[in-house]
Amino acid sequence: MLPTTSPHSNGALSPRDAARHTAGAKRYKYLRRLLHVRQMDFDFALWQMLYLFTSPQRVYRNFHYRKQTKDQWARDDPAFLVLLSIWLCVSTIGFGLVLDMGILETLKLLLWVVFVDCIGVGLLISTLMWLIVNKYLRKQPSRNFDVEWGYAFDVHLNAFYPLLVILHFLQLFFINHFVMINSSWFVGYFVGNTLWLIAIGYYLYITFLGPAFPEEHGGAAVPFRSAWLSLRPLHLSGLELH
């Protein structure tokens, strides 16, 4: 077995462990590493980005290992967030070039994608899922075993990355080249809507894998059967990945 934090005999964490695992301590450690590029593991972050497309369960398996070794589900390395930010900037600039947008319009699009699509929607979805999971779907209703908000936001980032690549990168090749999805042709509408369907399907699937995976491996989160039933439409449509 990998080491875990040892609680007292009454089930509560020791004062030292409790102080080390508070939200403030974790946030300070995360932000401190954000200022030290050499401490970030970009190779591992790139590995996660690759497997979010091919085998997202392997990514969540790593979250399980982190819970066993560091007693937290959320990422403690901001490398994934940094790479995602770079992807947001590069893809938005590409979008502006393909659509012949000006510098000001491209900047507005970038601000909208970062602060509304990624952060704003992410905060809303993460907080909502965090509240629902901790209030209704946990097997162990204890403060020492609650689902971290940071983990809920990591789940959103995991799901947002494939959506970003599909809609802000792959879709660019269909705007003015293979199929003009911005035209009034039926094929253009079909391809554009199909890309959106795949992107949203990825987002929903990876989002529901987040609360499902801890329970599958003995954690205190959403019962796996509930999350599995919520994914049945994706399974029947052939979008489920392993």
Side-chain angles (χ1 to χ4, degrees):
M1 285 291 296
L2 295 172
T4 56
T5 303
S6 299
H8 287 301
S9 57
N10 60 359
L13 295 175
S14 66
R16 182 178 180 180
D17 288 334
R20 184 165 56 91
H21 291 88
T22 59
K26 294 176 181 178
R27 182 170 57 250
Y28 172 76
K29 181 180 178 181
Y30 187 89
L31 294 176
R32 185 180 61 183
R33 294 190 67 177
L34 189 61
L35 300 177
H36 297 82
V37 179
R38 293 185 178 181
Q39 296 183 7
M40 301 183 196
D41 191 349
F42 289 104
D43 292 336
F44 181 66
L46 287 173
W47 175 88
Q48 292 183 78
M49 289 182 166
L50 173 63
Y51 278 98
L52 282 174
F53 278 99
T54 60
S55 182
Q57 290 190 9
R58 295 188 62 178
V59 177
Y60 284 110
R61 189 173 295 114
N62 175 261
F63 281 83
H64 172 62
Y65 296 153
R66 184 184 303 109
K67 177 63 176 177
Q68 289 185 306
T69 57
K70 300 181 180 180
D71 197 26
Q72 73 175 63
W73 288 103
R75 289 187 177 96
D76 59 350
D77 185 353
F80 186 91
L81 180 61
V82 172
L83 292 181
L84 179 62
S85 301
I86 295 175
W87 259 107
L88 282 170
C89 295
V90 173
S91 62
T92 303
I93 293 175
F95 220 93
L97 292 175
V98 172
L99 295 179
D100 295 327
M101 300 172 61
I103 297 178
L104 183 60
E105 288 76 12
T106 303
L107 180 60
K108 290 180 180 179
L109 177 62
L110 176 61
L111 294 177
W112 179 272
V113 171
V114 172
F115 292 103
V116 178
D117 291 346
C118 182
I119 297 179
V121 175
L123 291 175
L124 178 62
I125 295 177
S126 301
T127 303
L128 180 62
M129 295 298 293
W130 174 69
L131 291 173
I132 293 175
V133 168
N134 281 319
K135 188 173 181 62
Y136 300 107
L137 302 177
R138 280 190 302 135
K139 282 190 173 182
Q140 302 180 28
S142 170
R143 189 173 183 83
N144 292 329
F145 297 98
D146 63 341
V147 178
E148 307 159 10
W149 184 90
Y151 175 69
F153 191 72
D154 278 338
V155 171
H156 161 71
L157 295 181
N158 290 343
F160 185 80
Y161 172 69
L163 182 145
L164 172 70
V165 173
I166 293 173
L167 297 182
H168 276 230
F169 178 70
L170 295 181
Q171 188 174 220
L172 296 181
F173 296 97
F174 294 91
I175 293 180
N176 294 322
H177 296 83
F178 300 111
V179 179
M180 297 183 64
I181 60 177
N182 59 343
S183 66
S184 58
W185 297 353
F186 169 78
V187 177
Y189 286 130
F190 178 79
V191 173
N193 291 332
T194 301
L195 289 174
W196 272 90
L197 175 63
I198 295 174
I200 295 175
Y202 258 107
Y203 186 92
L204 293 177
Y205 175 68
I206 296 178
T207 297
F208 279 97
L209 268 185
F213 198 85
E215 174 59 24
E216 183 184 11
H217 290 75
V222 181
F224 184 71
R225 181 178 296 273
S226 299
W228 171 254
L229 290 176
S230 67
L231 293 172
R232 292 304 296 173
L234 298 181
H235 174 71
L236 294 176
S237 64
L239 293 177
E240 184 176 2
L241 301 175
H242 297 283

